[in-house]
Amino acid sequence: MEVDFYGFALQDVDDTQVPVEYPEGREAGSAFLTAREGRLDIKSAGHTHTATLSAEVWDGEPPAAEDRGNWEEQGEAQFRSPSGELAVWTVTGGPMDTYLSLSETGGSWRVRVSCEGRAEVRRLAWEGVPEGIEHYLVQFWPAPA
């Protein structure tokens, strides 16, 4: 997936249900993970590069992924997805052709985002446009009622 201007988002595909579309409201110096109505803003360590993204949808809270990567940053949040399907958005390009299906209907979700390769992509992005250095693991599960 493409990353530009130090970030990307996972946003509900039903943009009529998203009060503020990405990248509106995105703030410089913001947290690694920021949850908004219908979207998740994720801050990268590199300005412009290609990263990898793995997504998992669980029935309940997943086990910690500590043994599955050398995570340099992690964040957890709760958000609502009106449609149950998310698109990956870039700052300048809008939605990409990459979609994540959470469920057949909308609902509230917990999400944990883990990232590795941040220090390396930060260094390499000053020299060019690195590919596949930064890796994200995004885990979703239904929020408790």
Side-chain angles (χ1 to χ4, degrees):
M1 93 183 150
E2 301 302 317
V3 174
D4 61 353
F5 290 93
Y6 296 98
F8 66 96
L10 302 175
Q11 182 173 292
D12 199 275
V13 296
D14 183 357
D15 57 5
T16 66
Q17 298 295 312
V18 180
V20 181
E21 282 190 4
Y22 189 76
E24 265 187 73
R26 182 175 175 254
E27 301 169 12
S30 61
F32 169 66
L33 175 63
T34 303
R36 300 176 185 277
E37 180 68 20
R39 85 182 211 215
L40 297 166
D41 296 1
I42 301 170
K43 185 177 178 183
S44 171
H47 185 283
T48 303
H49 62 98
T50 303
T52 60
L53 172 73
S54 299
E56 301 172 348
V57 180
W58 293 73
D59 291 335
E61 183 173 355
E66 297 305 324
D67 60 341
R68 296 176 50 198
N70 189 18
W71 309 121
E72 298 168 51
E73 187 80 55
Q74 290 186 305
E76 231 179 84
Q78 183 167 324
F79 81 110
R80 192 168 99 49
S81 171
S83 74
E85 188 171 22
L86 304 174
V88 178
W89 280 60
T90 64
V91 173
T92 59
M96 298 175 63
D97 291 334
T98 304
Y99 299 95
L100 306 173
S101 181
L102 303 177
S103 68
E104 292 182 13
T105 61
S108 292
W109 295 86
R110 294 289 305 166
V111 60
R112 178 184 305 134
V113 181
S114 304
C115 183
E116 64 183 347
R118 293 177 68 79
E120 186 72 359
V121 83
R122 183 180 297 114
R123 184 182 67 77
L124 293 174
W126 283 102
E127 302 168 7
V129 180
E131 292 189 26
I133 304 297
E134 202 172 46
H135 173 71
Y136 293 87
L137 173 62
V138 183
Q139 298 172 301
F140 297 94
W141 66 96

